């Protein structure tokens, strides 16, 4: 059985140690870093499956670290922050984070988020009865390789971005509401989901559309939701 590795990055040692205890109790291997630079080093030296990343840290903060990580890797990132404003969450998600937890939090909530991200990261494309590659008008999504190409060019998507694209492509022509997308992709009840989903849709468009303001693929049905046409 595979033992997954979680990298916990926070400049507060008590928080690092506390999270480590709960994750180890669930059977995870845990690496710890006190800042973004140390996290980047550990990612290069180890196979990491989920990153828990505080925003406010010395040397290199979580936002800058996420930019660096996303240049090379699509590992799920869960951001931690004492800020609860929607604008802060949107900022974190817009730079490539997959989830966001506001301090203070119960450690078991974070463990549940880690498990959720791992399910998506390791099981993307395992829908039974579905073809391994879905092709729609220049888009090709390989469910087994977790890869998307646009007109033959590979596009780097985060796990959440991939899951949203996969949902829309598998169900091409169907319109999904924001709440439906959130509940299917995040696997939890939708609460204030509009901004979170919209940020990810915008990032997907920026990566796959020649003109994101006039999308060819991911289209909005005003007042209803989003779809990819057949």
């Amino acid at each position: 059985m595979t033992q997954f590795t979680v990298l916990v990055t926070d400049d507060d040692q008590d928080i690092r140690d506390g999270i480590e205890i709960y994750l180890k109790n669930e059977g995870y291997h845990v690496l710890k870093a006190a800042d973004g630079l140390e996290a980047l080093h550990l990612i290069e030296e180890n196979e990491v499956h989920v990153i828990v990343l505080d925003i406010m840290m010395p040397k290199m903060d979580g936002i800058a670290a996420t930019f660096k990580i996303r240049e090379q890797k699509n590992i799920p990132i869960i951001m931690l922050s004492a800020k609860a404003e929607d604008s802060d969450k949107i900022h974190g998600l817009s730079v490539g984070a997959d989830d966001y937890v506001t301090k203070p939090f119960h450690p078991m909530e974070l463990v549940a988020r880690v498990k959720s991200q791992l399910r998506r990261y390791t099981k993307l494309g395992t829908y039974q009865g579905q073809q391994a590659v879905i092709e729609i008008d220049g888009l090709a999504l390989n469910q087994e390789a977790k890869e998307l190409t646009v007109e033959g060019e590979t596009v780097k998507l985060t796990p959440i971005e991939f899951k949203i694209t996969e949902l829309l492509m598998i169900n091409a022509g169907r319109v999904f509401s924001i709440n439906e997308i959130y509940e299917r992709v995040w696997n939890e009840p939708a609460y204030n989901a509009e901004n979170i989903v919209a940020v990810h849709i915008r990032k997907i468009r920026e990566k796959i559309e020649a003109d994101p303001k006039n999308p060819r693929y991911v289209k909005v049905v005003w007042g209803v939701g989003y779809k990819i046409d057949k």
Side-chain angles (χ1 to χ4, degrees):
M1 181 176 177
T2 302
Q3 184 181 37
F4 295 111
T5 297
V6 181
L7 171 59
V8 178
T9 308
D10 197 298
D11 59 333
D12 187 321
Q13 183 174 344
D14 290 338
I15 290 177
R16 293 198 305 272
D17 293 346
I19 293 172
E20 178 185 29
I21 291 170
Y22 279 86
L23 289 172
K24 282 189 171 181
N25 284 343
E26 295 294 322
Y28 297 113
H29 176 234
V30 179
L31 300 172
K32 295 185 291 183
D35 57 67
L37 287 175
E38 187 178 358
L40 293 177
H41 176 72
L42 288 172
I43 291 166
E44 289 300 319
E45 298 295 325
N46 301 272
E47 183 178 6
V48 176
H49 302 97
V50 177
I51 303 167
V52 177
L53 188 64
D54 189 31
I55 291 182
M56 300 298 293
M57 295 182 296
K59 297 183 180 178
M60 178 182 286
D61 65 24
I63 299 294
T66 298
F67 272 118
K68 287 291 186 181
I69 293 166
R70 285 290 175 252
E71 288 176 359
Q72 299 291 333
K73 299 180 182 294
N74 289 330
I75 305 166
I77 297 173
I78 302 172
M79 279 195 163
L80 305 179
S81 177
K83 299 180 178 181
E85 295 296 325
D86 279 348
S87 59
D88 297 308
K89 294 181 181 180
I90 292 168
H91 188 199
L93 294 169
S94 68
V95 299
D98 298 285
D99 205 351
Y100 189 105
V101 177
T102 302
K103 297 178 180 178
F105 55 85
H106 193 287
M108 288 309 298
E109 176 192 356
L110 181 60
V111 171
R113 301 291 184 99
V114 168
K115 289 180 178 179
S116 179
Q117 290 298 327
L118 275 172
R119 282 196 298 271
R120 285 191 287 272
Y121 186 56
T122 59
K123 295 183 180 179
L124 285 176
T126 58
Y127 290 86
Q128 292 185 354
Q130 297 292 342
Q131 63 198 70
V133 179
I134 304 168
E135 297 186 23
I136 299 175
D137 190 24
L139 287 181
L141 184 142
N142 188 314
Q143 294 179 288
E144 294 181 357
K146 305 172 191 174
E147 180 180 81
L148 180 74
T149 61
V150 181
E151 305 293 355
E153 295 292 325
T154 301
V155 176
K156 290 184 178 180
L157 298 178
T158 69
I160 289 288
E161 291 165 0
F162 187 96
K163 191 69 173 176
I164 292 172
T165 306
E166 182 183 45
L167 174 67
L168 296 179
M169 289 184 68
I170 287 174
N171 300 280
R174 176 182 168 184
V175 180
F176 284 88
S177 71
I178 286 172
N179 285 350
E180 282 183 298
I181 293 172
Y182 188 91
E183 289 173 358
R184 290 206 182 202
V185 172
W186 277 262
N187 196 31
E188 61 186 37
Y191 178 71
N192 290 335
E194 183 171 354
N195 286 335
I196 293 173
V197 172
V199 166
H200 286 288
I201 292 291
R202 176 171 60 81
K203 298 295 287 186
I204 292 168
R205 282 174 168 168
E206 289 173 353
K207 293 179 180 182
I208 72 173
E209 304 282 4
D211 182 2
K213 293 183 179 179
N214 296 287
R216 170 184 174 187
Y217 300 115
V218 182
K219 298 182 179 179
V220 63
V221 179
W222 292 106
V224 184
Y226 297 94
K227 68 173 181 174
I228 290 179
D229 286 329
K230 293 181 180 179

